[in-house]
Amino acid sequence: MNTHDVNDPESGAVSHPGLARWLLVGMVSVTILLSTLTPVDRLAETEYKALFQRALITFALARTLNGVISAVQGTELALQPAGVGVTLTPGEVLDPINDLVERFSWIMLGATLSLGIQQVLLDIGQWWGVKLILGLLGLFWLWLRLRQTGGRRSGSEQLLFRLFILVAFVRFAVPVAMIANEGMYRLFLESRYLESTQIIETAGSEIQQAGSTDADAAIEEAEEGVLDSLGRMFEKTGKMLNVREKMAYIAERASDLIEHLIQLSVVFILQAGILPIAFLWIFLQLFKQLFRNKY
């Protein structure tokens, strides 16, 4: 006898049609059940709110930092030791960081808009109409699948199954991607975010304090009389050296800002742009693989 049994191990194609049939029925049933429950939706909503809150806080931080730098850039310190006029502008060293902050603000605005779109997609997946359509498609397919006695599948059954897969993707893709996204954040990005946010807040406050001190010193010197100016000539020379040190300090803090603004940009480009698309693509591929060989 030259024919090979489909269950012959030597044929390399072991087939268990009964097991595959009931496995597929079980997967569809579980999908319908999960669609009617709310834990996945609640977890996705919680994760979304945490991410959106971080984006809003960071966007506000960027706008505040932009205002601080703009104010410091407008300050000037005029010193006249020994009758020689010297005007120092601490904000000159902040031009590069100001440009970076502007670009970072646009990144955060884009991240916030992306999260708004994800919220809409999340609401679509949770809409009762999607749940109802998914349940009806699944139940109708189960009814057709279980009433069949032969191994051959009808065209209507295949069409229903494909529609069920499509609606199930709409129902679960965004919530699952949102949960996976936040899981990735906690594993790899949270420490970067917290450290960079703290350093940016501290550096911004210190730059503002240094700029305000210099401006106040300039006002005081402008209000001094001639005798006071002569009496404090050598003290002013020391102040000028101190101001130069402050400018060097501002430049150092600006360098820290550049590094950690880039770190925050990486975090939100990943979380609001790259990771959601990547997880949606992975979820789609897994979903297709789960059912491709079953039909």
Side-chain angles (χ1 to χ4, degrees):
M1 193 171 180
N2 296 327
T3 58
H4 294 281
D5 190 343
V6 292
N7 292 322
D8 185 0
E10 296 180 357
S11 66
V14 179
S15 176
H16 303 283
L19 178 61
R21 174 187 179 184
W22 287 108
L23 179 61
L24 188 59
V25 168
M27 292 170 64
V28 172
S29 301
V30 170
T31 302
I32 296 173
L33 180 62
L34 289 176
S35 178
T36 60
L37 300 177
T38 58
V40 174
D41 296 330
R42 290 178 180 175
L43 181 57
E45 285 284 351
T46 301
E47 304 291 23
Y48 170 81
K49 290 178 180 178
L51 176 55
F52 191 74
Q53 185 70 17
R54 286 198 304 272
L56 287 180
I57 291 174
T58 308
F59 181 68
L61 176 63
R63 300 310 302 167
T64 302
L65 182 61
N66 180 256
V68 168
I69 292 175
S70 297
V72 173
Q73 282 184 309
T75 63
E76 290 184 350
L77 177 59
L79 293 177
Q80 297 176 345
V84 179
V86 178
T87 300
L88 301 176
T89 305
E92 289 177 355
V93 300
L94 298 176
D95 283 333
I97 189 65
N98 195 33
D99 294 338
L100 181 59
V101 170
E102 287 286 349
R103 292 179 174 86
F104 179 70
S105 298
W106 283 105
I107 291 175
M108 292 310 305
L109 178 60
T112 305
L113 292 175
S114 173
L115 292 175
I117 294 172
Q118 293 180 50
Q119 174 68 70
V120 174
L121 296 177
L122 197 63
D123 292 340
I124 291 174
Q126 296 175 358
W127 183 47
W128 66 269
V130 173
K131 296 180 181 180
L132 178 62
I133 293 172
L134 182 65
L136 292 176
L137 288 173
L139 292 174
F140 194 27
W141 179 87
L142 288 173
W143 178 74
L144 290 176
R145 191 73 180 90
L146 294 176
R147 69 189 293 266
Q148 287 184 351
T149 56
R152 188 172 181 178
R153 303 171 181 90
S154 64
S156 60
E157 184 184 346
Q158 294 181 20
L159 177 61
L160 279 174
F161 189 74
R162 292 191 178 97
L163 291 174
F164 177 80
I165 292 177
L166 177 61
V167 178
F169 180 78
V170 174
R171 172 68 180 91
F172 291 107
V174 176
V176 172
M178 185 68 66
I179 294 170
N181 192 353
E182 277 298 285
M184 186 69 69
Y185 166 78
R186 291 192 178 93
L187 285 175
F188 302 106
L189 301 176
E190 186 173 20
S191 59
R192 294 171 180 262
Y193 171 80
L194 294 176
E195 179 186 4
S196 296
T197 302
Q198 182 178 5
I199 290 177
I200 288 173
E201 289 178 347
T202 303
S205 299
E206 291 173 351
I207 289 174
Q208 183 181 24
Q209 183 178 4
S212 298
T213 301
D214 293 340
D216 294 340
I219 293 173
E220 290 176 1
E221 291 176 0
E223 293 177 348
E224 287 180 347
V226 176
L227 294 178
D228 292 333
S229 297
L230 292 174
R232 299 182 59 185
M233 180 179 60
F234 294 103
E235 183 180 349
K236 288 179 180 180
T237 304
K239 283 186 176 182
M240 187 183 73
L241 296 176
N242 186 43
V243 168
R244 292 187 182 278
E245 292 177 358
K246 287 183 178 180
M247 289 184 65
Y249 176 76
I250 289 175
E252 180 183 354
R253 301 308 289 161
S255 178
D256 292 338
L257 284 174
I258 291 174
E259 176 185 353
H260 290 282
L261 283 172
I262 292 174
Q263 290 279 9
L264 284 182
S265 298
V266 170
V267 169
F268 282 98
I269 287 174
L270 283 172
Q271 274 219 284
I274 296 176
L275 288 180
I277 295 175
F279 282 126
L280 286 175
W281 183 84
I282 293 172
F283 184 72
L284 177 61
Q285 298 306 312
L286 290 175
F287 213 83
K288 288 166 62 177
Q289 287 297 327
L290 282 174
F291 295 102
R292 176 179 296 171
N293 297 326
K294 305 297 187 298
Y295 246 93

